[in-house]
Amino acid sequence: LTLQTGGAGSGSSASAGSLVVKTDSTTQLTVAPDALTMSPNGTTVMTVSNSSVTASRNVVLDGTAQLQTASGDLTLAPGGTPVMTLGTDVQVSRAATFSQSITVGSLGSADGTAGSVAGSGLTLTSGSGQGNTSAAAGGVLTLQTGASGSGSSASAGNLVMKTGSTSQLTVSAVAT
């Protein structure tokens, strides 16, 4: 079965039209020469062309589905502004706010690799209090080493502050 609209003539002015699938008077699917548009219940949810796929509703993946690229990195760019790139590493190009705790193996500055390449300065702040009101106040920044486990052999490590490779301040746990 072949469904075809327009463009079958041999004249130079012959042009293809669109194939429209409807239920009652509601358009469900439109196949045009340059795009495929899906509109369940008359609401456009996805348009596919030769250059892009546009989803105008949430894309929900089931529990076994994966979001993948054929090759290269995956970039998240809301409004066309890249904010995160996922590849062999994760690059966040905008400020990030975490509402829950995070765990990292090492933390490095933006243009350096943690511990091996000199990078720009790294600043950790907690509620830095740089607001416009007189009530703006700084928060508490807690640096913790070890001993967060509940096992009897859990022990705290040292907190060492260095400039270059020279230790300037060492905070050690006191045995009680």
Side-chain angles (χ1 to χ4, degrees), residues 11-162:
S12 62
S13 64
S15 62
S18 295
L19 175 64
V20 179
V21 177
K22 293 184 174 187
T23 54
D24 294 324
S25 62
T26 304
T27 299
Q28 303 291 337
L29 178 71
T30 303
V31 180
D34 60 350
L36 168 74
T37 303
M38 291 178 267
S39 305
N41 206 25
T43 302
T44 299
V45 296
M46 184 175 289
T47 302
V48 180
S49 72
N50 66 347
S51 62
S52 67
V53 174
T54 303
S56 55
R57 297 286 186 263
N58 291 335
V59 176
V60 179
L61 304 174
D62 72 13
T64 60
Q66 297 180 10
L67 184 58
Q68 299 181 21
T69 62
S71 64
D73 296 341
L74 173 65
T75 300
L76 303 178
T81 302
V83 296
M84 181 181 287
T85 301
L86 306 169
T88 55
D89 59 358
V90 177
Q91 298 173 9
V92 179
S93 56
R94 297 286 185 263
T97 301
F98 298 96
S99 58
Q100 298 288 322
S101 63
I102 62 168
T103 302
V104 296
S106 63
L107 188 61
S109 60
D111 61 350
T113 302
S116 63
V117 177
S120 63
L122 176 65
T123 303
L124 300 176
T125 60
S126 175
S128 58
Q130 297 175 354
N132 293 328
T133 68
S134 60
V140 175
L141 176 62
T142 302
L143 301 176
Q144 179 177 336
T145 65
S148 60
S150 60
S152 61
S153 63
S155 62
N158 293 334
L159 176 60
V160 181
M161 295 184 189
K162 294 182 176 185

